[in-house]
Amino acid sequence: MEVKVLKSEQINRAIADTFIELIKKNPKAVLGLATGSSPVGVYQLLVKANKEGVISFKDITTFNLDEYVGLDGSNDQSYRYFMNYNLFDHVDIDKKNTNVPSGVGDIEALAKEYDKKIAAHGGIDLQILGLGSDCHIAFNEPGTPFDSLTHVTDIAESTIKDNARFFARIEDVPTKAVTMGLRSIMNARKIVLLATGKNKAQAVYDLVKGSQDESHPGSILRDHPDCTIYVDEDAASLL
């Protein structure tokens, strides 16, 4: 695992360039995508690269990390809606090739099929991650087994509070999610993670230097053969 300390705009550029390089090399690449505020700048740069003809998404397949239980894709707080709004609606991707875990229907059964579907597409070539304030990745909260696959999980109270800024009221934040598990994430061939701001400093410390156990889910990334952590000076302040 490599840690790079850059300015926020440099982080977005570096990660976007990693995606662009992969897509140029493999126009049929399988991308692992994330939601939340962290990757938005990266997605904006990918949209720009697509519109300028630098890359095409027409043969790309994507798999998202997670989705709120109880929200379908028409809900403007769903992660499917987020991906459409921030990326898919603005590039030449076939939405039939975009996959987000289902938050409605037989979610338990659909979750069990998600990893099989990823494997059927040859696995994820490049996965982007954010980092929660309690060192969670995706919705793998502290206590999640390191060998977990896609599953339904309760969302920690701290994460609900962190995500409340996206909702009108904290009571509106879903309390369950479907998420790729830690083993699912580790199966990606290459991983990039970005974390910025003082509020992520403790989580970054726990990821890089804290105990490597289930109390710090992100710490599993230390064992990945090709993982780069991008942080700004504030997020790196405790290292």
Side-chain angles (χ1 to χ4, degrees):
M1 184 179 77
E2 183 180 8
V3 179
K4 293 187 177 183
V5 182
L6 302 170
K7 295 184 184 299
S8 291
E9 60 271 19
Q10 293 174 319
I11 292 172
N12 290 335
R13 184 74 264 171
I15 294 177
D17 285 347
T18 301
F19 275 91
I20 290 167
E21 181 181 344
L22 171 63
I23 294 168
K24 284 182 174 179
K25 183 177 179 181
N26 179 10
K28 296 184 177 180
V30 179
L31 308 180
L33 302 179
T35 55
S37 56
S38 295
V40 170
V42 174
Y43 295 156
Q44 289 171 345
L45 291 171
L46 294 180
V47 169
K48 184 173 185 287
N50 178 247
K51 291 188 180 302
E52 292 176 349
V54 177
I55 53 171
S56 172
F57 287 84
K58 66 184 182 65
D59 294 318
I60 293 293
T61 300
T62 67
F63 287 90
N64 262 76
L65 287 167
D66 42 30
E67 179 60 282
Y68 285 123
V69 167
L71 302 188
D72 65 23
S74 65
N75 188 298
D76 64 4
Q77 293 300 331
S78 73
Y79 288 162
R80 162 58 74 177
Y81 187 99
F82 175 99
M83 291 307 307
N84 289 344
Y85 181 83
N86 286 286
L87 183 62
F88 300 151
D89 284 347
H90 310 290
V91 296
D92 61 341
I93 199 164
D94 185 343
K95 285 187 183 175
K96 290 186 294 185
N97 295 331
T98 66
N99 300 275
V100 179
S102 178
V104 296
D106 190 348
I107 53 175
E108 297 277 0
L110 292 168
K112 290 179 181 178
E113 294 298 316
Y114 202 65
D115 292 279
K116 295 177 183 177
K117 192 171 185 180
I118 294 171
H121 282 81
I124 291 172
D125 294 302
L126 174 59
Q127 175 70 60
I128 185 171
L129 299 172
L131 182 67
S133 59
D134 59 359
C135 201
H136 74 257
I137 50 178
F139 275 114
N140 294 292
E141 304 283 5
T144 303
F146 276 6
D147 63 354
S148 55
L149 296 175
T150 303
H151 61 284
V152 179
T153 186
D154 293 325
I155 303 174
E157 184 177 347
S158 60
T159 305
I160 290 173
K161 289 178 180 177
D162 288 345
N163 291 354
R165 68 188 188 278
F166 300 115
F167 291 80
R169 305 176 307 154
I170 192 170
E171 293 82 6
D172 296 332
V173 183
T175 58
K176 289 181 176 290
V178 185
T179 183
M180 283 170 56
L182 294 171
R183 177 51 50 192
S184 309
I185 292 168
M186 290 289 284
N187 285 338
R189 281 179 273 279
K190 182 178 181 65
I191 295 174
V192 291
L193 180 147
L194 68 160
T196 59
K198 282 279 190 184
N199 64 318
K200 297 296 177 72
Q202 184 62 52
V204 169
Y205 176 88
D206 291 338
L207 189 160
V208 178
K209 294 186 175 181
S211 59
Q212 190 179 24
D213 54 40
E214 293 173 3
S215 68
H216 302 131
S219 67
I220 193 175
L221 297 176
R222 294 179 213 166
D223 292 335
H224 195 277
D226 189 355
C227 177
T228 304
I229 309 299
Y230 292 89
V231 294
D232 65 3
E233 289 187 358
D234 284 342
S237 60
L238 297 181
L239 295 179

